[in-house]
Amino acid sequence: MGTSNGTKITVQAVIQAPIEKVWICWTEPAHIMKWNQASEDWHVPNAENDLRTGGKFLTRMEAKDGSMGFDFAGVYDEVNTHELISYTLGDGRQVEITFMEQGSETKVVETFDPESTNPVEFQQAGWQAIMDNFKAYTERS
């Protein structure tokens, strides 16, 4: 399922919150379940996170009507608190998230290998929608 053309996709947001809060909202399962969906008709009924190098994570993503769902899971390659998270998904694709403190704001940049089933533009739009949900959730919580 991985891609071999070397293309990377990047999504990002500047969150109006200190880096400590941004990190907690990004990494704690109780928070992940509240923001990790691309649209209102999806939800996350379960999230598990062993946030350490070599640790595993699993996020169950499902359509609210029960018509479909999938596990988003992988293993952490590197975790540097308040700075960097990188992981490898079950299909071999790699993801890197950087957290940059900018005064009272935090910039989050996520770069990932696309999968080969859907167009790159579709994947970027979906991951950006999730990032936008994360920003909104973190700023209001």
Side-chain angles (χ1 to χ4, degrees):
M1 273 228 177
T3 183
S4 60
N5 65 7
T7 300
K8 298 267 187 191
I9 300 174
T10 299
V11 298
Q12 61 185 319
V14 175
I15 294 100
Q16 306 296 314
I19 199 162
E20 296 83 4
K21 179 180 181 182
V22 170
W23 185 265
I24 287 168
C25 288
W26 189 274
T27 61
E28 291 187 2
H31 290 292
I32 294 167
M33 292 171 62
K34 295 182 177 160
W35 61 260
N36 200 0
Q37 69 275 338
S39 63
E40 287 297 316
D41 52 341
W42 281 74
H43 70 133
V44 174
N46 182 54
E48 301 169 16
N49 197 17
D50 182 9
L51 186 64
R52 60 181 176 83
T53 300
K56 296 179 181 180
F57 68 90
L58 179 136
T59 304
R60 178 67 187 170
M61 305 176 103
E62 293 182 356
K64 288 181 179 176
D65 67 5
S67 62
M68 64 179 68
F70 62 93
D71 289 337
F72 186 80
V75 176
Y76 290 110
D77 300 314
E78 188 175 355
V79 177
N80 295 328
T81 303
H82 299 163
E83 294 177 11
L84 172 77
I85 297 172
S86 67
Y87 59 84
T88 301
L89 294 168
D91 62 8
R93 293 183 296 134
Q94 296 193 309
V95 180
E96 181 177 286
I97 307 110
T98 56
F99 300 81
M100 291 160 273
E101 189 170 21
Q102 299 179 331
S104 61
E105 304 173 335
T106 304
K107 183 175 185 178
V108 180
V109 179
E110 187 171 24
T111 303
F112 63 96
D113 295 329
E115 42 89 357
S116 56
T117 306
N118 294 294
V120 167
E121 298 78 17
F122 178 81
Q123 294 176 65
Q124 182 168 24
W127 285 54
Q128 185 65 55
I130 292 170
M131 180 70 78
D132 293 345
N133 281 343
F134 171 75
K135 173 182 167 64
Y137 170 78
T138 303
E139 289 179 352
R140 75 173 176 264
S141 64

